[in-house]
Amino acid sequence: EQLLKEAKFEPSERRESNAPRVGDDHRNGADVTTEQFRAAFGFRGEQFGASMPQSERQSNLNQAYDALMDLAGVVGVPPKALSLNGELGLAFGARGTGGKNPAAAHYERDTTGAVTPNRVVINLTRKSGAGSLAHEWFHAVDNYFARMRGEKAGMLTESFAGRGEGV
């Protein structure tokens, strides 16, 4: 029984906690408001989970603001470009399901093929979403360019599969 238990064991792929962010202070030490956040990035909307306390909401908003400003600098685009023409939404602990080994974050895309997608959202989980924003944003970019190419519900990187074309 012990050998079977050891054979079934799968170590976590994630660290227990995120390393503290090191970088420029984009907020000058102040809390960012949702209005400032929206003005800086132009997201379609921001959503917080109903059970998230106000103090966590502020902390998540501050962390996301700094991370997005860092990402804009690294990618070399204006901060508003990160919202993908205002189509992308951002959720904090509002759309996950939890469970055993839950995702730290996820990207939801509209799979209906609608011309104007009503559901393109990055969700950062309440407890471990920090540190996953750039990864999920690149999923959003992948889907965005697929939609711009006319592949309404897919991902651009999936459209090259089996064609012998590199990504």
Side-chain angles (χ1 to χ4, degrees):
E1 288 180 14
Q2 181 62 28
L3 289 174
L4 180 60
K5 183 178 179 182
E6 290 172 12
K8 287 181 167 182
F9 175 75
E10 291 184 33
S12 176
E13 294 178 14
R14 292 182 223 120
R15 296 183 191 128
E16 288 297 316
S17 62
N18 289 315
R21 176 186 168 273
V22 177
D24 294 338
D25 181 5
H26 300 290
R27 298 174 289 107
N28 298 317
D31 286 338
V32 67
T33 66
T34 53
E35 293 78 19
Q36 291 168 324
F37 192 90
R38 192 165 295 131
F41 303 109
F43 285 102
R44 179 174 44 84
E46 299 82 28
Q47 178 183 20
F48 292 93
S51 65
M52 184 179 288
Q54 184 61 38
S55 61
E56 282 186 43
R57 290 178 186 208
Q58 187 62 63
S59 175
N60 278 284
L61 199 62
N62 289 343
Q63 289 178 38
Y65 186 91
D66 289 338
L68 289 164
M69 285 296 192
D70 290 345
L71 181 60
V74 168
V75 175
V77 299
K80 275 206 173 171
L82 298 178
S83 68
L84 307 176
N85 289 327
E87 293 181 9
L88 186 60
L90 192 57
F92 301 92
R95 305 171 82 86
T97 58
K100 187 178 179 182
N101 295 324
H106 68 271
Y107 170 68
E108 293 179 18
R109 68 180 192 228
D110 191 323
T111 57
T112 64
V115 175
T116 304
N118 60 7
R119 190 182 76 177
V120 281
V121 179
I122 292 172
N123 180 64
L124 304 173
T125 61
R126 180 177 171 189
K127 298 196 181 213
S128 57
S132 302
L133 185 54
H135 174 93
E136 299 305 329
W137 183 77
F138 279 103
H139 285 306
V141 169
D142 188 4
N143 178 240
Y144 176 81
F145 283 114
R147 286 186 283 110
M148 294 301 105
R149 191 174 170 171
E151 299 169 25
K152 296 188 180 12
M155 303 294 259
L156 188 62
T157 52
E158 292 171 351
S159 67
F160 289 103
R163 294 188 195 172
E165 299 176 32
V167 177

